[in-house]
Amino acid sequence: MKRRQFLTSTSAAIMTAGVVSPMFGQRAFAQGQPALMRLAMPPLLDTRPTGRLSLTATSGSSSFSGGPATPTAGFNQGYLGPTIIMQNGDLAAEVQNNLDEPISAHWHGLLVPGEHDGSPHLAIAPGATWQPEMIIAQDPATVWYHSHIHERTAEQVYFGLAGVIHVTDGQDDARGLPSAYGIDDLTLVVQDRRFDAAGRMVYDPSRMDIMHGFAGNRMLVNGQAGATAVVPEGFARLRLLNGSNARNYALFFDDTRPMHLVATDGGFLPAPVALDVLRLAPGERAEVLVDFSDGGTPVLMSDPDQAYGVMQFATDNALPARITRLPEQLDGAPEDLTGAKVATRQVSLDMGMGGMMMGGGGFAINGRPYDMGRIDFEVSLGSVERWQIRSTMVAHPFHIHGVRFRVVTENGGPPRPENTGWKDTVLVTGEAEILARFDQPASRDTPFMFHCHILEHEDAGMMGQFTVT
């Protein structure tokens, strides 16, 4: 695997990759303990007043948990990017690349044509600027953006080229939803990262790391380790993005308080759904409401079998508790596509033992590794299609560009609660059946991608592309 020029690699000893150290506990708030480190939100970039968006990919240097500085990258800052607020209508975007290798800006979850999608075909050369004139026309949702260069996506996202987007219609107060950014409406980018014994963040995947996806040994939320989110004594809205390269999360609170799911990848549900555990695969987003009115200090955990801490919450009664009651209904009403006349496609996410398959690459879709010059599917504009997706060997998060879809079945049964709304990414643990309508055009020059969102698998060939005409 090629190394990125603007980052340095290290050969220092790596701690065990599969173990994420627990970093939180109730005793963190005991008398005499040091003051908590408050979680910071990504800076806000509101495009609504101007209809313009300006991002610059830049190199940085970041220290995590007091360790040595690590070369990183980000948009408009040294690591990760701002939270972008946008609304329906015209949006003039500008993405400048100040790095010394090509990047792109894929709008993961935005329903825009292929020429604006930010796929590998829309690489931005070093020193160049990309200026798509986009029309945003979709339901409110939490989506995100990240670089998407073939064979470079995993490393570029790992070192910081990613951020969150809020598509809003300004009606959240009327819905009874928390909407004060950073106070009761929190953007939480959850990532695991690997650190060496000296505390440097490293990315040097072995063959096994590529096979299983690169896993870390420390949790970061918004690029911070060990920070505590401070919320009012009322309901808070958590906009969760799994921005990890490969790790799946099964999120729950250590004191068993429920999470009320209000939105999935593509928008709101018809009503809140109470969950004890929220499963989130790489690329997926979920919005949940959590009641903190008891003033406790709960810890958000992951993986009930070998639980580890993700982050801790604390309440501050000086913050206004704007929302004290769970809304009974929301205005999300996913369209029923089951009665539409559909074409059916089979999609097999393939990988071989030890990478010894398909010429040694080991990763493919329908037996063929990704080829930028090959169109795998030709889809009719405005059509509805049923995709039957099969995952081999391991669970794969499956993402389609340019559409949102409904999950019809998982392994022959009904979808999990997290998959009942609009989706653009779904974790396939065996077989999943989805229905999608293709309303955005994509040409042979700028096709849409479909791929595994374990980023090492995507880079290694588990990706295809399609036109919509």
Side-chain angles (χ1 to χ4, degrees), residues 163-233:
V164 175
I165 299 173
H166 297 183
V167 181
T168 181
D169 62 2
Q171 299 301 309
D172 283 349
D173 288 343
R175 295 183 179 99
L177 293 175
S179 61
Y181 183 74
I183 298 175
D184 61 4
D185 185 354
L186 307 186
T187 294
L188 305 175
V189 181
V190 180
Q191 300 169 309
D192 65 329
R193 293 293 183 257
R194 191 178 298 185
F195 290 81
D196 65 15
R200 290 181 291 262
M201 187 172 75
V202 294
Y203 184 78
D204 192 11
S206 67
R207 183 169 176 174
M208 288 301 294
D209 288 326
I210 295 173
M211 284 296 296
H212 296 285
F214 194 80
N217 52 24
R218 187 174 301 172
M219 293 304 308
L220 301 182
V221 179
N222 296 348
Q224 300 151 65
T228 298
V230 179
V231 294
E233 292 185 352

Side-chain angles (χ1 to χ4, degrees), residues 1 31 89 129 133 141 164 168 176 205 225 261 283 326 336 421 425 435 444 447:
M1 178 176 291
Q31 188 174 5
T129 300
E133 298 279 343
V164 175
T168 181
L261 183 69
L326 187 71
D336 184 2
T425 306
L435 283 172
R444 296 187 68 88

Side-chain angles (χ1 to χ4, degrees), residues 247-263:
R247 188 180 293 276
N248 298 318
Y249 298 104
L251 300 172
F252 64 98
F253 278 98
D254 66 335
D255 61 1
T256 72
R257 71 182 61 207
M259 293 171 280
H260 301 273
L261 183 69
V262 296

Side-chain angles (χ1 to χ4, degrees), residues 26 229 231-236 238 240 250-261 273-278 288-301 311-316 326:
Q26 298 289 356
V231 294
E233 292 185 352
F235 277 94
L238 312 183
L240 293 155
L251 300 172
F252 64 98
F253 278 98
D254 66 335
D255 61 1
T256 72
R257 71 182 61 207
M259 293 171 280
H260 301 273
L261 183 69
V273 176
L275 298 175
D276 294 323
V277 178
L278 170 69
V288 297
L289 301 186
V290 182
D291 187 1
F292 295 103
S293 60
D294 61 0
T297 56
V299 180
L300 184 64
M301 310 290 290
M311 65 178 302
Q312 184 164 322
F313 292 81
T315 55
D316 184 347
L326 187 71

Side-chain angles (χ1 to χ4, degrees), residues 385-430:
E385 293 198 352
R386 182 185 305 270
W387 288 20
Q388 296 171 334
I389 310 153
R390 182 173 59 88
S391 178
T392 62
M393 291 189 65
V394 301
H396 298 281
F398 180 71
H399 172 51
I400 309 178
H401 290 210
V403 303
R404 58 182 187 174
F405 54 75
R406 300 295 309 279
V407 180
V408 181
T409 63
E410 294 184 82
N411 295 315
R416 291 183 289 111
E418 299 96 322
N419 291 335
T420 56
W422 283 118
K423 298 287 294 176
D424 57 52
T425 306
V426 61
L427 182 65
V428 183
T429 59

Side-chain angles (χ1 to χ4, degrees), residues 86-99:
M86 62 177 64
Q87 63 188 0
N88 285 346
D90 294 341
L91 181 67
E94 179 179 278
V95 184
Q96 182 175 338
N97 182 10
N98 283 354
L99 302 175

